[in-house]
Amino acid sequence: MDDIVKAALKKWPNVPDCYGWLALDARGDWYMRDDRTQHAGPFPKAKGSRIQHDKLREFIERNYDTDDHGCWFFQNGPQRVYVELEAAPFVWRLRAVDGGPPVLRSHTGRDAVHQSVWLDEHDRLFVATDIGFGIVHTLDMETAADAVEQGHWAPEAATLAALAQRFGHQLSPQSLQAADAHLAR
C-alpha cells in the first residue's frame, strides 16, 4: 500500500466505504460505474467507463486488497472502494516456458505460483495460486491449453459460485452489503 494512503488512513480513520463505483472485468480492465451505470444494471451487464489512465490504473493496482469477508477493494486514501468482480479477484497473464508450466503474472503485476486449475460452467479457465485465485486472460488460452496438453495442468470442473465459495471471494460486495443492510432491519 502506498505511504500516502497509509497516512490518509491515520488522519481520517472513519471515512464511509464506497460500493458499486469500481469494477474489474475478466480481462483485467477497471471500470468506473457512476449512478446512471449502476441503475442500468449489475456488473458486467452495465460496465461503465473503462479506466485508461495508466497512472490511475497503477495506483488502484498498488492499493488493491481484500477484507476478512473476501470482498476486494481499492484503498483510495482514507476511503475503501469495494470492487465488483466479473469473474475473480485476479486476472492471470501467462508466459510459456519450454518444458515447464507457464509463468503466471496477475493484472496487478504480481508473480504467482500455480496450485490448482479449474474450469467453470462457461468453460472459463481459473487458476488458484500462492497469492490468490484468478481467471486466465482470454489472450493466453493457447498457452494454457499447451500446459494442459503437456500434463502440467489438470483442470477440475466447478461452478463459478462454488469457486467463489471455495476460494473465499465475493463477486459483488455491493450485493453482500445490501443483504447485510436488509438483515439488520
Side-chain angles (χ1 to χ4, degrees), residues 5 8-17 75-80:
V5 171
L9 281 167
K10 287 180 185 174
K11 188 172 183 179
W12 299 290
N14 298 316
V15 174
D17 296 334
Q75 190 69 48
N76 184 23
Q79 185 171 52
R80 198 171 267 195

Side-chain angles (χ1 to χ4, degrees), residues 42-60:
F43 187 77
K45 177 185 171 198
K47 283 196 169 184
S49 301
R50 186 169 161 252
I51 298 173
Q52 296 183 9
H53 191 278
D54 289 339
K55 296 295 181 191
L56 177 55
R57 287 177 55 93
E58 291 167 8
F59 181 63
I60 292 169

Side-chain angles (χ1 to χ4, degrees), residues 92-110:
W92 304 121
R93 297 306 312 261
L94 309 180
R95 184 173 47 83
V97 176
D98 284 338
V103 173
L104 292 101
R105 176 164 276 199
S106 75
H107 71 283
T108 62
R110 294 178 62 193

Side-chain angles (χ1 to χ4, degrees), residues 125 140-150 153:
L125 192 65
D140 294 333
M141 288 305 294
E142 184 175 350
T143 301
D146 289 344
V148 171
E149 287 176 1
Q150 294 168 8
W153 289 358

